[in-house]
Amino acid sequence: MAMQQLRQVVQAEFRRQQLTLDKEALALVVDYVAQNSSGLEPIYTLIDKLDTDNHSHVTGAIVEEALRKLDNAPVGAALIRVYDCFDLPKVRFDHIRQRFYPLEEPLSIHATAQDRYSMYLDRLLLLHQRLRRDKTFSKPALPLSDTDGHNAYCQLTDVKAMLGCTGQTRFLLGCISQLQDGTFYLEDMTGSLQLDLTGCQTSSGLYTENCIVIAEGELDHRGIFKAMALGMPPVESREDSLAATKGLQIFGEDTLKATDWMAIEQAEQEAQADRMVVLSDVWLDKPSTLDHLHTVFAGFDGLDTVPSAFVLIGNFQSQPATTASTDYTLIREQFKSLANVISRYQRLQDESKFIFVPGPGDPGPGNVLPRPALPAYFTSDLRQLLPTAVFASNPCRIRMYTQEVVLFRSDLQNHMRRLCLIPPKGTTGQPVSSAAALFEHLCMTVLQQSHLCPVPLENQSVYWQYDHALHLYPAPDLVVLADSAASAQFTFKDSACVNPGSFSKGAFAAYNVYEREVELSEVPDDAMESG
């Protein structure tokens, strides 16, 4: 990267943090970044060490002091790194060459019809290449048979190849689409078939329009595919997914040196008491919420090891923000009240990183995913108090030590249940009734679909060129599905999933980094009553 271009990148990243550099400070930062890496990681590491004394102007002396801190630090890269969904690298699977490759062209929220097609194709190819490695669907090198004399694997058939296969049981991989009102089809890259789901059995998951499924069934004389069973493409291990990407950066833009990564691994082994605390539905317009925050902050402030991160997720209002009925000046004052609460806990200010994620009802440019960060107008007091705070997108990604965390705020559990084509069933064959069992179905759905929100665009709009920001591939270590439903947790394969619940009711969650375990918590009843 040329020095002039590097200076522009540095200035842009500091402006995003509401910081300005004088001439001497800019020269020091550019020199530091040029010596350490061509990526952005050194910039974020340096910003974390700046002591701006709550001012936005950064002088050369402030940068020199931060550089001295870095010289004495045991780790050369940040232990916590937050990735905005609008800055994520985009990769695509080439089904001809059978490999992933990065897309270099700039992305835009103003997409074309071709981008809509590419979005669905990318989802299908992502799951198809994953399924090809599964032993159940990969043809063995030698013709093996099971004990019943049948083939020991399931051969997938293209939709186009079903022509003339009447009465033969086949397995199809495709996307459930509603090409005509009230009539569902199964689509793949070769064509579409009308789908009959009457009496169809399903494995675990929430089956909605737009889901990619494996359908077992027969083609009848009318040309309709009668599905006897539906399943979702099975999840593969993180190791297998990482091997398939061949080192491409999918989760974020980390460009860490091997020595830095080893130091982070060592720090993770030593962080046996470290946690990430997640609070959702932090309703700042309710006085009781600030009382609950005092209780939570005071409890963690008294520990020997304070949490490395506090993640506060919207909605930050009890009622959705609308142009007609919302007092935006009042919202700004409420965030100032939150800043006053945090200011009472100096230790948390110094040792914890605060991350703010907007909800679907917060002020912003409409309910389209991914959703950008909270507007700076509302959070100026917070930014002055916490210059290292991160105002992230929804969803967002976090690298916490060596672990990958995805956070998403949406009322997805009830939303997908309402859209189900076939009611989810439990192990007894009866419809699922409990919230905990429904959450398990939700977790298995998003992990098997490798997508945070596999519902029709009519029900949840998505920026077509940024749909990759909702992908869950490779499967992360932790998925936070913040929802207004009751708090719950579930572990499936290599991934832990959690809904921290609504903090308006006192519920929150903490993730133990060393143990890789989720702890569901509640504000004590006496604190709730006093609030």
Side-chain angles (χ1 to χ4, degrees):
M1 185 182 298
M3 293 303 292
Q4 179 61 30
Q5 184 181 1
L6 182 57
R7 278 192 288 270
Q8 293 174 354
V9 170
V10 168
Q11 289 176 316
E13 292 301 322
F14 271 77
R15 279 196 299 269
R16 288 183 57 188
Q17 300 293 330
Q18 305 294 312
L19 298 172
T20 59
L21 295 163
D22 65 15
K23 185 176 181 180
E24 181 186 0
L26 177 60
L28 289 170
V29 174
V30 169
D31 182 62
Y32 169 74
V33 175
Q35 291 180 9
N36 283 271
S37 172
S38 59
L40 300 180
E41 184 66 33
I43 302 177
Y44 301 122
T45 304
L46 185 58
I47 290 176
D48 284 341
K49 295 296 182 181
L50 291 177
D51 185 5
T52 60
D53 197 22
N54 297 335
H55 295 297
S56 61
H57 186 67
V58 179
T59 64
I62 293 175
V63 174
E64 287 178 348
E65 178 61 26
L67 291 174
R68 279 194 291 271
K69 292 179 182 178
L70 288 172
D71 287 340
N72 296 327
V75 179
L79 298 179
I80 301 176
R81 174 80 164 83
V82 183
Y83 304 98
D84 190 284
C85 276
F86 292 94
D87 298 329
L88 297 177
K90 185 173 184 177
V91 301
R92 178 168 288 165
F93 184 75
D94 186 332
H95 66 284
I96 303 298
R97 295 182 174 87
Q98 294 294 308
R99 63 178 180 85
F100 287 93
Y101 65 94
L103 293 179
E104 304 295 344
E105 60 263 24
L107 304 179
S108 171
I109 62 174
H110 306 292
T112 65
Q114 178 61 35
D115 293 313
R116 185 177 188 271
Y117 169 78
S118 297
M119 175 185 71
Y120 285 117
L121 182 60
D122 287 345
R123 293 187 192 180
L124 181 61
L125 290 176
L126 183 67
L127 297 192
H128 186 261
Q129 62 85 28
R130 194 184 76 191
L131 189 63
R132 291 178 66 252
R133 290 190 294 275
D134 189 273
K135 292 182 179 179
T136 306
F137 296 93
S138 58
K139 187 175 181 179
L142 298 175
L144 302 177
S145 299
D146 61 16
T147 56
D148 296 327
H150 298 90
N151 289 332
Y153 76 101
C154 301
Q155 183 175 357
L156 294 175
T157 303
D158 292 337
V159 166
K160 185 179 180 180
M162 288 299 295
L163 184 65
C165 295
T166 305
Q168 302 177 26
T169 300
R170 296 296 177 94
F171 294 88
L172 276 64
L173 175 72
C175 178
I176 300 177
S177 305
Q178 190 173 182
L179 302 183
Q180 300 177 12
D181 288 343
T183 305
F184 293 97
Y185 290 77
L186 192 69
E187 285 189 286
D188 66 6
M189 291 182 292
T190 66
S192 61
L193 273 178
Q194 187 174 334
L195 197 58
D196 182 3
L197 298 176
T198 306
C200 181
Q201 300 296 313
T202 60
S203 61
S204 297
L206 303 176
Y207 293 81
T208 68
E209 182 185 347
N210 268 30
C211 274
I212 296 171
V213 300
I214 303 168
E216 178 186 4
E218 298 178 354
L219 189 69
D220 66 17
H221 65 280
R222 300 168 299 168
I224 298 175
F225 188 77
K226 171 65 176 177
M228 297 180 290
L230 287 184
M232 292 189 181
V235 176
E236 70 177 358
S237 67
R238 278 181 53 82
E239 290 75 12
D240 290 341
S241 296
L242 291 170
T245 61
K246 299 186 185 302
L248 281 178
Q249 292 294 342
I250 293 182
F251 188 80
E253 284 275 347
D254 274 332
T255 53
L256 297 179
K257 302 175 182 177
T259 53
D260 288 341
W261 191 254
M262 292 173 60
I264 291 175
E265 290 178 333
Q266 180 62 33
E268 182 177 271
Q269 292 300 312
E270 297 172 356
Q272 299 187 14
D274 197 5
R275 292 178 176 86
M276 177 178 67
V277 180
V278 183
L279 305 91
S280 179
D281 282 350
V282 185
W283 292 351
L284 300 179
D285 58 337
K286 299 295 184 181
S288 59
T289 298
L290 299 182
D291 295 331
H292 299 165
L293 285 171
H294 274 299
T295 303
V296 172
F297 290 157
F300 285 109
D301 188 61
L303 298 178
D304 292 336
T305 303
V306 299
S308 289
F310 283 91
V311 183
L312 277 67
I313 305 175
N315 298 328
F316 291 101
Q317 301 287 305
S318 58
Q319 298 296 325
T322 61
T323 305
S325 61
T326 301
D327 185 346
Y328 292 109
T329 304
L330 181 59
I331 295 179
R332 184 174 182 174
E333 289 300 317
Q334 290 163 356
F335 275 101
K336 184 176 181 180
S337 299
L338 174 60
N340 292 334
V341 171
I342 298 174
S343 67
R344 295 178 55 178
Y345 303 94
Q346 187 63 46
R347 191 175 173 213
L348 299 184
Q349 289 184 60
D350 296 338
E351 301 180 32
S352 301
K353 180 182 285 292
F354 284 81
I355 303 165
F356 298 87
V357 180
D362 289 321
N367 190 22
V368 185
L369 296 176
R371 188 181 182 88
L374 290 165
Y377 170 80
F378 302 107
T379 59
S380 55
D381 292 289
L382 272 173
R383 294 174 188 270
Q384 290 181 7
L385 176 70
L386 302 167
T388 61
V390 178
F391 295 86
S393 60
N394 179 27
C396 74
R397 302 179 182 183
I398 300 175
R399 175 179 56 74
M400 188 164 186
Y401 295 92
T402 65
Q403 299 177 40
E404 297 179 356
V405 180
V406 174
L407 297 114
F408 182 44
R409 173 63 179 94
S410 176
D411 292 327
L412 190 62
Q413 183 167 314
N414 290 329
H415 192 185
M416 289 201 70
R417 176 61 186 90
R418 288 195 301 269
L419 296 173
C420 275
L421 304 178
I422 302 173
K425 297 180 180 179
T427 54
T428 61
Q430 298 299 315
V432 169
S433 57
S434 69
L438 187 58
F439 181 71
E440 293 182 8
H441 280 273
L442 175 65
C443 296
M444 296 180 74
T445 300
V446 297
L447 290 172
Q448 291 178 119
Q449 293 292 309
S450 290
H451 198 278
L452 282 170
C453 194
V455 301
L457 294 178
E458 294 79 9
N459 299 98
Q460 176 57 69
S461 299
V462 175
Y463 292 120
W464 299 340
Q465 289 193 8
Y466 286 96
D467 184 68
H468 67 287
L470 278 68
H471 289 182
L472 294 176
Y473 184 85
D477 298 285
L478 175 66
V479 182
V480 178
L481 299 172
D483 198 298
S484 58
S487 58
Q489 61 174 311
F490 179 66
T491 299
F492 185 59
K493 300 289 185 178
D494 298 332
S495 301
C497 300
V498 60
N499 171 17
S502 179
F503 191 65
S504 63
K505 301 175 183 177
F508 65 98
Y511 179 65
N512 186 299
V513 180
Y514 179 78
E515 299 290 344
R516 295 177 180 250
E517 293 181 353
V518 175
E519 306 162 2
L520 297 179
S521 305
E522 290 186 3
V523 176
D525 291 338
D526 54 349
M528 296 276 289
E529 293 170 0
S530 63

